[in-house]
Every structure is written in C-alpha cells, then in structure tokens.
Amino acid sequence: MTAQDPEILLYKEHRLNMRDGCEPLADYLKITGASPKFVISSTALWRGYMATWEIKNERLYLVCLDGEIYEQGPASIATIFPDYPDRVFAHWYSGTLSAPQGELLKSDGMFGFDDIYERDFHFEVERGVVVEIRVRKNSLSELGS
C-alpha cells in the first residue's frame, strides 16, 4: 500500500499537507454526482488530481486543481467549475481538515499515515466557513520516546 500524495492547504504563511482523507473536492463530486474520469498517473495519487486549498477570511477556497481527465485533457478548476475558473468557495464542504506542521517527531516507518509532527492544525468547517481552528502541540515526552 502506497501513501497518497496529500492535498495542500494554504493558511496564513503556512503551506500545509493535509492528512489522508481530507479531500473536500471528493465531497463535491459525490454530492453533485459529477464523475470526471481522472487519469491515475501514480499509485501515490489514486484520486487522479492534486488540489490546493486556501483559507482566507475564515473561508475555504479551492485555488488550484491539477490532473488529467480521460479523453478531455488537462483538468483545472475551470474544468469542474466553469463559472469560477480561478478560485471557488467550497460552500459544499463541512467537516474537519487536519494538517501536521513542523518537525517530524515520530515516523510510522512505512506509509506516513501515523507520522507525528510538532503541531497538528484542525480546521472545523461548516458549509465552507471555518468556524473553529485548533492547534495541538505534540511532544516526544507525550509519545513515550
């Protein structure tokens, strides 16, 4: 089993790699029934696309989408959201976005799913609006190391 390339989250001056399973666009595609057939270019990218998100003014936006759709060519934000080619407010998304940040404190040694970093950001989002931000500070003493 290959670790999946994470989606990116831009928050203030941070460029964060979101944890496995944080894929707001997948929720949109499921809700709308849209089913673009993304080309799987790597075993580390089964969803077939890379998405970059930004939190700005307490709102979640999709700001970049890279990939390829079978028989259509390159995928972009405009491919999925033709009326919003540059950025789109993620009004469909509600849930928690998690992203580690800082120095790696402990590695799971295999896939990276359970790696522990200095901090974990947790963004609670309701219909695209960030309603709570929590930062958990991790330490080696808590890990029993």
Side-chain angles (χ1 to χ4, degrees):
M1 186 171 169
T2 304
Q4 295 298 290
D5 290 340
E7 294 194 13
I8 304 300
L9 179 62
L10 307 175
Y11 173 65
K12 296 186 178 180
E13 72 279 0
H14 305 290
R15 179 183 172 92
L16 305 167
N17 292 329
M18 292 198 289
R19 292 262 185 212
D20 189 44
C22 293
E23 300 171 2
L25 184 58
D27 287 5
Y28 175 81
L29 297 174
K30 185 177 180 180
I31 290 166
T32 62
S35 56
K37 301 292 183 200
F38 289 97
V39 174
I40 309 299
S41 59
S42 165
T43 58
L45 196 58
W46 285 112
R47 66 184 173 276
Y49 62 84
M50 281 297 299
T52 301
W53 302 86
E54 180 179 31
I55 293 176
K56 190 167 189 172
N57 299 323
E58 288 80 39
R59 293 181 177 266
L60 179 66
Y61 295 93
L62 175 62
V63 295
C64 185
L65 180 67
D66 291 313
E68 186 175 341
I69 299 175
Y70 282 111
E71 300 180 1
Q72 291 184 12
S76 67
I77 294 174
T79 307
I80 309 297
F81 302 95
D83 294 336
Y84 304 95
D86 299 318
R87 68 189 295 121
V88 63
F89 172 56
H91 61 86
W92 67 87
Y93 182 76
S94 293
T96 303
L97 299 176
S98 299
Q101 197 255 345
E103 182 182 331
L104 177 64
L105 300 179
K106 185 177 180 183
S107 175
D108 71 6
M110 296 260 324
F111 306 114
F113 299 130
D114 296 320
D115 287 350
I116 299 174
Y117 289 80
E118 287 180 292
R119 287 169 292 287
D120 286 300
F121 283 88
H122 299 282
F123 302 90
E124 292 295 330
V125 181
E126 291 182 14
R127 293 186 300 258
V129 177
V130 178
V131 295
E132 182 181 5
I133 300 169
R134 295 183 315 279
V135 180
R136 176 183 162 85
K137 293 182 181 179
N138 301 308
S139 70
L140 288 174
S141 61
E142 290 176 340
L143 304 173
S145 300

